[in-house]
Amino acid sequence: MKWLKLMELLCMPKGLSFRTQTDIRGPQFHSFIITREDGSRTYGFALTFFEEVTSKQICSAMQTLYHMHNAEQYDILHTPPTPRSPEDTRSTPQQLLAAPSLSRLQRFNSYDISRDTLYVSKCICLITPMGFAHACRRVLEQLHQAVTSPQPPPLPLESYVYNVLYEVPLPPAGRSLKFLGVYGPVVCQRPSTAELPLFDFPLQEVFELLGVENVLQLFTCALLEIQILLYSQHYQRLMTVAESITALMFPFQWQHVYVPILPASLLHFLDAPVPYLMGLHSNGQDDRTKLELPQEANLCFVDIDNHFIELPEDLPQFPNKLEFIQEISEVLLAFGISSEANPQCSDGQSKLRGFRSGDMASDKRNGNLAGSPLNSYLLRENQTIARLQALVKRTGVSLEKLEVSLSDIKHTNKDSKVQCDEEELKKHQLNIHVREVFANRFTQMFSDYEVFVIQPSQDKEAWFSNRDQMQNFDKASFLSDQPEPYLPFLSRFLETQMFASFIDSKILCHDDEDKEHTLRVFDSRVDKIRMLNVRTPTLRTSMYQKCTNIDEAIEMRLYKIDHTALHPHLLDMKIGQGRYEPGFFPRLQSDVLSSGPTSNKWAKRSAPAQWRRKDRQKQHTEHLYLDNDQREKYIQEARNLGTTLRQPKLSDLSPSVIAQTNWKFVEGLLKECRNKTKRMLVEKMGREAVELGHGEVSITGVEENTLIASLCDLLERIWSHGLQVKQGKSALWSHLLHYQESKEKRDATPAGLSPPERRKSDAGCAMPPLKVSLIQDMRHIQNISEIKTDVGKARAWVRLSMEKKLLSRHLKQLLSDHELTKKLYKRYAFLRCDDEKEQFLYHLLSFNAVDYFCFTNVFTTIMIPYHVVIIPSKKLGGSMFTANPWVCVSGELAETGVLQVPKNTLEITFECQNLGKLTTVQMGHDNSGLYAKWLVECVMVRNGITGHTYKFPCGRWLGKGVDDGSLERILVGELATNTTETEDRMCRTPPMQQSPGMMRRFVTISPNSKPKLNTGQIQEGVGEAINGIVKHFHKPEKERGSLTLLLCGEYGLVWALEQVFQHGFKSPRLFKNVFIWDFLEKAQVYFESTEQSQMTQDENWQMRVRHFCHFMRAINSTPRNIGKDGKFQMLVCLGARDHLLHHWIALLAECPITAQMYEDMALLKDHSLVNSLIRVLQTLQEFNITLEASLVKGIGI
């Protein structure tokens, strides 16, 4: 009985329909699918038609209903509209409109029992274990034809139904089967174990309805396990699109809720906070805007009838999307199908237009060549075989053998025609071509996936029990080998359940015999690529390789039928049974159809085949390789779905069932949150987390944006669960807006509207942090004009909160308004489960352990306010300073240009486009007034939105005649922290252990007062600086820190080489400072004089000298007043960029000026130490160093 009720619901989802003789009453075919608790699927095929109502009581009741309906509509039509202007009060247009409306009502919405004939819908349905859509449709249509034709069928209908049920077996794999319907033969065929799995729905219709671009976007959403809702007034279109998309995923399988036709009584299931692929029936009248869906933040909505698709934000492109579209379009065009959506596409009845085998054979883009020796009399006589040969030729099969085999076919069957109609054959051919193109993409993309599979070290039982904690695929190594354009898609795809299940099945099946069918076929294709000597590196490039291997075995099966079933025959029926009544489908005799034959030639074969079939069905289930918890979760969901299928509405269920259903969702969301936060932390902390035992090295490297987008999706699903009334596409942003509104009503002055007032800075006063304000952070997002949608605003707010380390705190504050939460959410909602909510916020709190720049790095074009404060030295602070200071702030994305700073306040606030993470500040003054000498402690810069504060230490004079005479300095800094330990040490990237003898850089007036380092400490400093740069370039590009810090920051390369040149440097006078640049200028003069005197030196030496002198002249001629130390820094940076530093060290070590200006114990005079230094500097040659613009401004080299 349960199955009968379920069948009734899916066969006639709208219930009974009534029509009159004026309505369209043609038979309508649709299919459906039932997913059982174990994940196996059963297909149903239904044909709905109309029969005349013979009951007088029903006819009179219908007439009464029509009269009531028309009276109500008449009142609505004649309600006078409110006049909007004097012109609208004229009666003529209103009268003109009312008359046709009334007549239309009388003509279409009326039923007169005396002159109209009433019809009611009836449905016949066939249930099968596999999706033989075409064969089942033919059987049903012929059965319907038998009762509508004027002549009775040759046999009673029971004979044909009995034959299909008991005497027509499933065709064996790789074979075709023919059986007789009422009026003609029906052919079905089944792919072999080496072919793509069975698929019998028309892909042509999907492409005609949606177009290639939309199909590919929908395909991408399905692969990323985004919630998908199909929408159409045709049930068969819903089923066709859903089955097509899941079939094109080969070798992957959809792992989540799959209901291609969602009955009206199950609409509450759209509230499920899990990925789903569902089909919703449209009545053809409601507009899309009137459709209220529980959650749309991460929803792909497909309006099939209107040929458009709504995509979620931030959807990555499928790899090589344009070339992929081009290849699919070429296949479609070869079959005469447009690649654009076709509004005239009828429901499954469109023909393959203009297909000519000659076009296919001469199409050079598809790898075919015209004018080959194949133009024999055989080909001229049979175009179908000609096309077959042309297709087979591309696969590399020997043409001589092919001609022999084809001639054999010719001799054995003179007519040599296919056993199904031409249209059906072309449908199969198109399906194969398109599916092969899609399969080819994955075969190339994952051709070497086996190398990255991580086999478990423990036994299978232990592996299953710890499945959540185990890594089954080396994602980081796999992604590091992929082309850059592939990464946005692949990094998200590798995180899906379908990919994890695919790898799990690979781990579980070591032998080919153990492998399930899909995996075995895919692995054989990967092996074939390797056998053809297509090396893996060529597959990892972004070069697009078209599909060339099309398996045409299906044509051979349809040319020569392998098996023929028993023909229908008279049954042992009682007299009077099986009577024929034209126009009415009879009530079939259950006693005849209740049991099958005791024995026939198929019975023995079909018994074991049924067991094999059941086993195979289980192997095809999408839940087979899930871990136990997830398996139980989805089985419970399937049970709940089965229960609710038999109930009209969720509100009618008992409270205990509601609680059980939603409790599973709450537990699942909390578990997902725990796994995601752990994964993101391990990813961010990298090797440090691995050393602490939180993960494996192999998982680092997945793109950060992918994990954050996944977290945003989870938050949207949590906030969508149990909503009372949906408002807007983003449930999270809607809740925030409600909170903002209630908060602003309560507060007389909105919190955080104006920045806190700040007194003039001095050296002891650090920049105070921004006030923590949820509302102010919302306003920041609302003021960003680039973000147009609610979903985008919610995601931006999450990113900003994560970057400020306030996500958990903000959400806790949001949920602390219990009255608002009760108003917005039902009792069973996740956000009203107190214990789970607390655990959820606790998991989010762990993000505060790491630094994210997920807002700054993503919203690169927005305007951001910055606040700059210059902090002069307390002791020599320059209260008498008369010059006009300026700054120029640079970041990873842009720089500000010169900004004048008021000398009385020494601070400035300005707004500019996002600079990214800040790297350098150029500061200086115009040297005006009586006292233009200025000792600056540091510069502080704060981002007004994220609150990040950067400290740029200086500790040097700016002024002529003091220090190195610089009027301008380039300061390198990084994020300021609250701890006193890290305020002094400015370089955290790369992390460096302080050497025992290394001394801090003091704020000094004379460089002579700096502490001296011995040669061992200097060598160690150089090695650490070079090592930091090497590590920088060995990290993935998106994980690298600031190269400017490694070059010019504390203990960077410039500082290390400064120690080299200062070691043993002679100071001629007590009160005169001698700088490294003075020595370099003297060396330049010597080299230039040597060049002019044309002393005999080898060519390499002369080339190095020319380079050195050219760089020295260029730096000395720069218009910038950067001082001698600034010029030395610029020379080191340019030398590192052009890989010349080791040549210059060798030149200077041999220069006579070195002997004059350095002590005998100096490092530059020790040949072994110099050679060691040169070898270390040579390691920079393999890296392409790009300098920040602020470091080399004004230099034209």
Side-chain angles (χ1 to χ4, degrees):
M1 290 302 293
K2 293 179 180 179
W3 264 89
L4 283 176
K5 289 181 179 178
L6 186 59
M7 290 301 110
E8 288 171 12
L9 195 58
L10 291 171
C11 289
M12 306 180 78
K14 291 186 292 186
L16 286 178
S17 298
F18 289 90
R19 304 277 170 90
T20 66
Q21 75 280 1
T22 59
D23 299 315
I24 299 171
R25 304 190 311 280
Q28 293 291 322
F29 172 82
H30 78 272
S31 51
F32 56 86
I33 193 169
I34 299 170
T35 305
R36 294 174 181 272
E37 290 185 3
D38 65 355
S40 61
R41 292 175 176 176
T42 299
Y43 287 86
F45 302 94
L47 188 74
T48 306
F49 50 91
F50 286 85
E51 289 184 352
E52 184 179 341
V53 178
T54 55
S55 168
K56 296 297 181 185
Q57 289 91 338
I58 294 176
C59 292
S60 59
M62 184 59 65
Q63 183 170 11
T64 304
L65 284 172
Y66 262 112
H67 285 324
M68 293 169 61
H69 173 72
N70 286 340
E72 186 180 339
Q73 292 297 313
Y74 185 85
D75 290 341
I76 294 171
L77 278 172
H78 286 76
T79 302
T82 306
R84 287 172 296 182
S85 66
E87 294 179 4
D88 290 338
T89 59
R90 291 180 297 182
S91 60
T92 310
Q94 181 64 28
Q95 290 167 354
L96 289 172
L97 285 171
S101 299
L102 187 57
S103 65
R104 193 164 61 247
L105 261 180
Q106 291 168 345
R107 192 180 317 120
F108 294 111
N109 284 346
S110 64
Y111 168 66
D112 188 339
I113 195 169
S114 61
R115 62 178 173 82
D116 289 328
T117 306
L118 188 65
Y119 294 88
V120 66
S121 58
K122 183 180 278 190
C123 178
I124 50 177
C125 176
L126 193 56
I127 305 297
T128 65
M130 303 182 78
F132 294 105
H134 181 75
C136 292
R137 182 170 188 162
R138 290 284 300 274
V139 169
L140 294 174
E141 285 175 345
Q142 291 190 29
L143 286 172
H144 176 252
Q145 185 185 348
V147 298
T148 54
S149 63
Q151 298 297 323
L155 295 170
L157 292 187
E158 283 85 351
S159 294
Y160 301 101
V161 174
Y162 184 91
N163 181 248
V164 169
L165 289 178
Y166 300 114
E167 296 172 338
V168 178
L170 279 175
R175 301 299 178 91
S176 54
L177 172 76
K178 181 166 73 173
F179 60 96
L180 285 182
V182 183
Y183 294 109
V186 179
V187 175
C188 60
Q189 58 83 34
R190 191 169 165 194
S192 70
T193 53
E195 297 175 61
L196 295 175
L198 174 67
F199 174 72
D200 199 26
F201 291 82
L203 281 173
Q204 173 197 351
E205 186 179 341
V206 178
F207 285 104
E208 285 185 326
L209 286 167
L210 296 176
V212 175
E213 171 113 19
N214 282 342
V215 169
L216 194 53
Q217 297 282 47
L218 173 58
F219 179 67
T220 305
C221 290
L223 288 171
L224 299 181
E225 297 182 340
I226 288 166
Q227 290 179 328
I228 296 172
L229 185 62
L230 309 176
Y231 191 60
S232 174
Q233 58 181 320
H234 301 279
Y235 292 113
Q236 185 57 14
R237 287 183 179 180
L238 295 173
M239 185 69 178
T240 300
V241 172
E243 284 290 288
S244 298
I245 291 301
T246 52
L248 293 175
M249 288 179 183
F250 172 88
F252 306 102
Q253 295 173 354
W254 180 259
Q255 298 291 318
H256 301 279
V257 178
Y258 182 69
V259 188
I261 297 176
L262 185 67
S265 58
L266 286 181
L267 291 186
H268 61 267
F269 214 72
L270 293 172
D271 190 29
V274 293
Y276 59 68
L277 200 167
M278 298 196 204
L280 188 61
H281 184 258
S282 141
N283 60 13
Q285 297 169 356
D286 287 347
D287 188 68
R288 159 73 179 97
T289 54
K290 295 179 183 176
L291 189 64
E292 289 194 5
L293 302 172
Q295 48 189 323
E296 297 184 54
N298 199 41
L299 178 74
C300 172
F301 181 83
V302 185
D303 190 335
I304 298 173
D305 301 333
N306 292 312
H307 323 290
F308 86 95
I309 180 172
E310 288 180 18
L311 297 168
E313 295 183 17
D314 305 323
L315 182 72
Q317 284 200 351
F318 192 80
N320 288 115
K321 178 185 170 186
L322 294 179
E323 293 90 341
F324 195 22
I325 287 175
Q326 176 67 23
E327 184 179 11
I328 299 166
S329 300
E330 286 179 8
V331 172
L332 295 176
L333 287 172
F335 282 85
I337 301 165
S338 170
S339 58
E340 301 295 327
N342 178 18
Q344 279 75 43
C345 175
S346 63
D347 185 16
Q349 297 299 322
S350 52
K351 305 292 183 183
L352 287 155
R353 299 177 301 278
F355 178 81
R356 292 184 299 168
S357 58
D359 295 341
M360 193 81 171
S362 62
D363 183 5
K364 292 183 173 61
R365 292 172 302 176
N366 285 311
N368 295 312
L369 297 174
S372 67
L374 290 173
N375 292 322
S376 64
Y377 75 94
L378 179 64
L379 299 187
R380 289 193 297 272
E381 196 167 324
N382 192 320
Q383 284 194 352
T384 306
I385 297 180
R387 182 171 67 257
L388 177 62
Q389 282 205 10
L391 292 168
V392 173
K393 180 178 183 295
R394 289 188 304 164
T395 66
V397 176
S398 169
L399 295 175
E400 290 77 8
K401 292 178 182 177
L402 183 64
E403 286 180 2
V404 171
S405 62
L406 285 170
S407 62
D408 290 343
I409 296 172
K410 175 73 177 177
H411 290 307
T412 54
N413 184 359
K414 289 185 179 180
D415 294 329
S416 186
K417 65 178 182 180
V418 74
Q419 296 296 312
C420 65
D421 58 75
E422 194 73 12
E423 181 187 343
E424 180 66 11
L425 173 62
K426 289 169 185 173
K427 186 200 85 172
H428 286 307
Q429 289 171 328
L430 175 63
N431 279 5
I432 289 171
H433 276 75
V434 172
R435 291 177 70 199
E436 288 288 356
V437 169
F438 277 80
N440 175 57
R441 283 290 82 211
F442 286 126
T443 308
Q444 291 186 27
M445 211 179 292
F446 294 99
S447 60
D448 54 350
Y449 83 99
E450 292 177 89
V451 178
F452 302 99
V453 174
I454 303 171
Q455 293 292 344
S457 54
Q458 68 269 59
D459 61 272
K460 292 291 169 61
E461 189 175 340
W463 182 78
F464 263 125
S465 59
N466 296 298
R467 178 65 196 87
D468 276 348
Q469 285 72 41
M470 300 303 296
Q471 293 299 322
N472 62 2
F473 193 73
D474 186 353
K475 297 172 185 174
S477 301
F478 178 80
L479 290 173
S480 66
D481 283 351
Q482 301 301 318
E484 183 72 23
Y486 286 21
L487 295 182
F489 171 81
L490 283 178
S491 56
R492 283 182 64 173
F493 180 65
L494 297 190
E495 299 296 314
T496 60
Q497 181 64 48
M498 75 173 69
F499 183 78
S501 296
F502 173 76
I503 299 300
D504 283 352
S505 66
K506 179 68 178 176
I507 291 172
L508 290 168
C509 306
H510 292 295
D511 305 324
D512 274 353
E513 292 301 319
D514 294 337
K515 289 181 184 176
E516 59 131 351
H517 175 231
T518 304
L519 182 63
R520 188 164 59 248
V521 174
F522 183 72
D523 282 352
S524 69
R525 287 163 180 252
V526 168
D527 294 340
K528 197 175 292 183
I529 283 186
R530 292 180 182 147
M531 276 175 25
L532 293 171
N533 295 322
V534 180
R535 297 298 302 152
T536 307
T538 64
L539 295 172
R540 292 188 196 146
T541 67
S542 54
M543 292 288 291
Y544 188 85
Q545 299 177 5
K546 288 187 177 180
C547 174
T548 55
N549 184 24
I550 305 295
D551 189 351
E552 294 292 341
I554 187 172
E555 288 196 19
M556 303 306 291
R557 285 198 292 275
L558 294 177
Y559 270 99
K560 185 181 178 184
I561 300 298
D562 298 299
H563 302 288
T564 303
L566 290 175
H567 290 188
H569 51 85
L570 275 172
L571 301 175
D572 186 12
M573 299 173 68
K574 297 174 184 176
I575 297 174
Q577 288 185 338
R579 282 186 298 183
Y580 170 73
E581 189 176 354
F584 293 91
F585 197 90
R587 185 182 184 89
L588 299 175
Q589 302 302 315
S590 58
D591 58 333
V592 178
L593 300 176
S594 59
S595 60
T598 53
S599 67
N600 63 50
K601 71 170 187 175
W602 291 106
K604 293 176 183 176
R605 296 190 194 181
S606 60
Q610 285 177 348
W611 286 108
R612 287 198 302 272
R613 184 165 69 248
K614 287 179 182 177
D615 184 58
R616 194 175 295 110
Q617 285 297 307
K618 284 187 178 179
Q619 287 189 6
H620 277 78
T621 65
E622 65 269 41
H623 307 313
L624 182 60
Y625 300 119
L626 295 178
D627 61 70
N628 294 334
D629 286 345
Q630 288 172 318
R631 179 180 172 81
E632 180 59 34
K633 171 185 167 187
Y634 287 115
I635 287 177
Q636 185 61 47
E637 283 176 11
R639 285 180 185 143
N640 289 333
L641 178 57
T643 305
T644 51
L645 273 168
R646 298 184 289 278
Q647 300 290 343
K649 288 183 180 176
L650 182 62
S651 57
D652 295 338
L653 295 175
S654 65
S656 62
V657 174
I658 295 174
Q660 185 184 21
T661 304
N662 288 287
W663 186 246
K664 284 293 179 184
F665 287 147
V666 169
E667 286 184 326
L669 288 169
L670 184 61
K671 182 179 178 182
E672 192 177 347
C673 177
R674 181 174 66 247
N675 292 339
K676 276 195 195 309
T677 50
K678 179 181 177 181
R679 175 68 198 277
M680 290 174 70
L681 281 175
V682 172
E683 183 62 43
K684 190 70 178 173
M685 295 169 74
R687 193 167 295 278
E688 181 183 349
V690 173
E691 289 167 359
L692 294 172
H694 294 307
E696 302 177 27
V697 185
S698 60
I699 71 165
T700 58
V702 178
E703 197 176 38
E704 178 181 293
N705 271 342
T706 301
L707 298 174
I708 291 174
S710 176
L711 175 70
C712 292
D713 171 38
L714 173 64
L715 292 177
E716 284 291 356
R717 284 191 279 125
I718 286 174
W719 256 258
S720 298
H721 185 240
L723 263 178
Q724 295 275 16
V725 180
K726 179 181 167 294
Q727 296 175 345
K729 289 197 172 183
S730 169
L732 174 58
W733 188 249
S734 174
H735 194 168
L736 285 166
L737 289 175
H738 279 102
Y739 178 81
Q740 183 183 30
E741 183 183 352
S742 63
K743 181 81 172 168
E744 287 175 352
K745 281 181 182 176
R746 286 198 301 267
D747 298 345
T749 54
L753 192 57
S754 56
E757 219 176 289
R758 196 180 172 283
R759 71 176 188 271
K760 182 180 173 182
S761 303
D762 55 51
C765 175
M767 193 178 286
L770 288 174
K771 184 179 178 181
V772 174
S773 169
L774 166 60
I775 302 296
Q776 186 59 39
D777 285 348
M778 282 188 66
R779 288 206 187 96
H780 286 315
I781 302 303
Q782 289 165 327
N783 292 334
I784 299 174
S785 58
E786 289 89 340
I787 306 175
K788 309 291 184 187
T789 64
D790 287 354
V791 175
K793 288 173 183 174
R795 292 190 172 196
W797 182 84
V798 170
R799 287 176 177 274
L800 177 59
S801 301
M802 286 188 70
E803 188 160 325
K804 297 178 81 166
K805 301 187 177 183
L806 293 172
L807 181 60
S808 180
R809 182 170 172 176
H810 278 346
L811 292 179
K812 186 173 184 178
Q813 183 181 343
L814 176 67
L815 297 172
S816 64
D817 189 338
H818 299 296
E819 290 303 315
L820 178 61
T821 308
K822 284 181 181 178
K823 177 183 169 185
L824 296 178
Y825 289 91
K826 298 170 186 170
R827 182 63 193 92
Y828 64 77
F830 181 94
L831 297 178
R832 291 189 62 185
C833 300
D834 292 337
D835 290 345
E836 284 68 29
K837 182 177 69 179
E838 287 302 317
Q839 291 182 57
F840 159 71
L841 293 172
Y842 177 76
H843 290 313
L844 294 184
L845 188 63
S846 59
F847 287 134
N848 294 3
V850 291
D851 294 327
Y852 279 101
F853 291 90
C854 49
F855 180 85
T856 301
N857 290 341
V858 169
F859 298 100
T860 56
T861 60
I862 64 173
M863 300 301 289
I864 291 182
Y866 291 92
H867 188 63
V868 179
V869 178
I870 300 173
I871 301 178
S873 170
K874 275 185 181 178
K875 298 177 182 176
L876 306 161
S879 54
M880 303 161 53
F881 179 61
T882 57
N884 298 302
W886 58 267
V887 295
C888 174
V889 183
S890 300
E892 292 181 349
L893 300 175
E895 71 172 30
T896 60
V898 172
L899 301 167
Q900 299 298 328
V901 181
K903 58 187 173 187
N904 56 336
T905 61
L906 296 183
E907 59 183 282
I908 181 176
T909 300
F910 62 92
E911 190 175 68
C912 70
Q913 188 168 306
N914 185 1
L915 301 174
K917 282 190 272 189
L918 302 187
T919 51
T920 61
V921 165
Q922 302 159 64
M923 68 166 298
H925 60 77
D926 61 0
N927 199 35
S928 61
L930 296 173
Y931 191 75
K933 297 180 178 63
W934 197 23
L935 179 60
V936 176
E937 176 94 4
C938 66
V939 177
M940 306 289 289
V941 184
R942 184 176 65 201
N943 181 316
I945 291 181
T946 66
H948 286 322
T949 302
Y950 294 81
K951 184 177 181 182
F952 298 85
C954 177
R956 300 289 295 270
W957 283 95
L958 286 89
K960 292 289 185 185
V962 63
D963 205 335
D964 64 345
S966 172
L967 295 180
E968 168 186 344
R969 294 202 183 277
I970 302 171
L971 310 180
V972 181
E974 64 171 351
L975 265 177
T977 55
N978 295 326
T979 56
T980 53
E981 180 189 349
T982 51
E983 275 182 353
D984 295 327
R985 184 183 181 86
M986 288 311 301
C987 180
R988 287 189 307 179
T989 308
M992 258 170 42
Q993 294 297 325
Q994 182 181 354
S995 301
M998 279 195 182
M999 304 299 291
R1000 302 278 184 205
R1001 191 178 210 165
F1002 295 132
V1003 175
T1004 53
I1005 301 172
S1006 167
N1008 290 335
S1009 63
K1010 289 179 184 176
K1012 306 295 183 187
L1013 302 181
N1014 61 41
T1015 53
Q1017 293 167 338
I1018 292 171
Q1019 280 184 298
E1020 190 175 354
V1022 173
E1024 288 285 359
I1026 297 292
N1027 193 32
I1029 296 172
V1030 171
K1031 285 181 180 176
H1032 171 87
F1033 283 103
H1034 277 92
K1035 288 180 182 177
E1037 191 169 347
K1038 292 180 180 177
E1039 294 181 20
R1040 295 174 184 173
S1042 168
L1043 184 59
T1044 304
L1045 263 177
L1046 302 177
L1047 292 170
C1048 308
E1050 189 121 20
Y1051 307 123
L1053 182 62
V1054 173
W1055 172 86
L1057 291 180
E1058 197 176 82
Q1059 306 311 308
V1060 170
F1061 283 104
Q1062 283 181 349
H1063 188 259
F1065 198 42
K1066 292 179 182 177
S1067 182
R1069 287 191 216 156
L1070 189 60
F1071 297 108
K1072 182 181 178 184
N1073 293 330
V1074 181
F1075 293 89
I1076 299 170
W1077 192 253
D1078 298 325
F1079 158 67
L1080 296 175
E1081 284 183 323
K1082 289 185 178 181
Q1084 177 196 354
V1085 172
Y1086 168 78
F1087 288 135
E1088 287 176 339
S1089 63
T1090 308
E1091 269 196 306
Q1092 289 172 1
S1093 63
Q1094 295 181 348
M1095 290 178 65
T1096 56
Q1097 292 286 353
D1098 63 50
E1099 193 174 332
N1100 282 338
W1101 186 88
Q1102 291 177 354
M1103 180 66 72
R1104 293 170 188 173
V1105 165
R1106 279 197 294 274
H1107 276 139
F1108 176 76
C1109 295
H1110 176 56
F1111 277 81
M1112 290 291 295
R1113 285 193 297 271
I1115 293 171
N1116 270 324
S1117 61
T1118 180
R1120 297 172 69 182
N1121 294 305
I1122 53 175
K1124 293 179 179 179
D1125 281 353
K1127 290 177 180 178
F1128 174 73
Q1129 174 175 291
M1130 192 176 283
L1131 182 70
V1132 172
C1133 289
L1134 289 169
R1137 183 193 71 182
D1138 294 349
H1139 308 129
L1140 297 170
L1141 286 178
H1142 58 287
H1143 293 320
W1144 294 347
I1145 294 289
L1147 276 180
L1148 294 169
E1150 297 171 4
C1151 178
I1153 303 299
T1154 306
Q1156 298 171 16
M1157 297 187 70
Y1158 282 86
E1159 307 283 355
D1160 291 339
M1161 44 70 71
L1163 188 149
L1164 282 176
K1165 286 190 173 183
D1166 187 321
H1167 290 298
S1168 63
L1169 293 179
V1170 169
N1171 288 336
S1172 173
L1173 177 63
I1174 289 171
R1175 281 195 300 274
V1176 171
L1177 290 171
Q1178 280 176 330
T1179 59
L1180 296 180
Q1181 283 186 283
E1182 60 182 288
F1183 305 116
N1184 182 22
I1185 294 175
T1186 304
L1187 298 177
E1188 196 175 313
S1190 60
L1191 298 179
V1192 291
K1193 194 179 288 183
I1195 300 294
I1197 300 176

